[in-house]
Each structure stands twice: as C-alpha cells, then as structure tokens.
Amino acid sequence: YYRGQEIANVCAGKYRSVAGWGNAWRPVTPSTRFMGYSVSKGIAAATFLAMADAGLMKYSDPVEKFWPEFCSSGGGKKGVTIAQALSHR
C-alpha cells in the first residue's frame, strides 16, 4: 500500500497445510499466514546497519527504546541490546 492505495497484490499460488487440515492444497489469500522464523533477520540487520551509519541507532541501545512492546510479556527481555538481538543471545 502507498498512501492508502493498494499498489501490489502478491497473493499467488497454493500452500499445503498438514496441521489439522489434512494434505489439501489451498489458495494463498491476503490472510494466509506463513511461518517466518528468522527469515527477516538479514533484512533487519541490514536496516540496522544503515540506521547506525546514519547515527540513528547504536549496537548498545536497548531494543525497548525502539520497540517498547518487546519487554511487555516479561521473560527477561528488559535490557536486551540490539547487538544481542541480532546475534541470538
């Protein structure tokens, strides 16, 4: 979307889910969810490097400075730095 207008619809193809639906192939729709795991980590790291070069972020910054919800569920995430998040520590 750009300024509220759809500029690309990338829903294409079919997917197969074996979790509770058998082996049926289903069409991909805008609401289809996919497991991403760490697929976006490289993109996030490259984005961070560009922002660090511009002086907008530092490796030592806590994640919650930019993403307050990161710590809202607890689990010992308070104080985790961007460097730690990027290195899976």
Side-chain angles (χ1 to χ4, degrees), residues 43-68 70 80-83 85-86:
I43 296 166
T47 301
F48 166 73
L49 291 172
M51 294 179 80
D53 281 347
L56 301 172
M57 302 173 95
K58 297 182 288 194
Y59 283 98
S60 59
D61 283 335
V63 174
E64 71 257 23
K65 178 177 178 181
F66 304 97
W67 183 17
F70 180 76
V80 171
T81 65
I82 292 173
L86 290 174

Side-chain angles (χ1 to χ4, degrees), residues 4-86:
Q5 297 293 318
E6 182 178 72
I7 58 171
N9 184 331
V10 294
C11 295
K14 295 184 179 196
Y15 71 100
R16 185 170 73 176
S17 174
V18 293
W21 294 355
N23 276 334
W25 286 91
R26 302 186 183 280
V28 174
T29 69
S31 61
T32 302
R33 293 184 181 189
F34 293 94
M35 298 299 274
Y37 300 107
S38 291
V39 171
S40 63
K41 189 162 285 241
I43 296 166
T47 301
F48 166 73
L49 291 172
M51 294 179 80
D53 281 347
L56 301 172
M57 302 173 95
K58 297 182 288 194
Y59 283 98
S60 59
D61 283 335
V63 174
E64 71 257 23
K65 178 177 178 181
F66 304 97
W67 183 17
E69 296 84 4
F70 180 76
C71 299
S72 64
S73 64
K77 295 179 185 177
K78 187 146 185 74
V80 171
T81 65
I82 292 173
Q84 291 170 319
L86 290 174

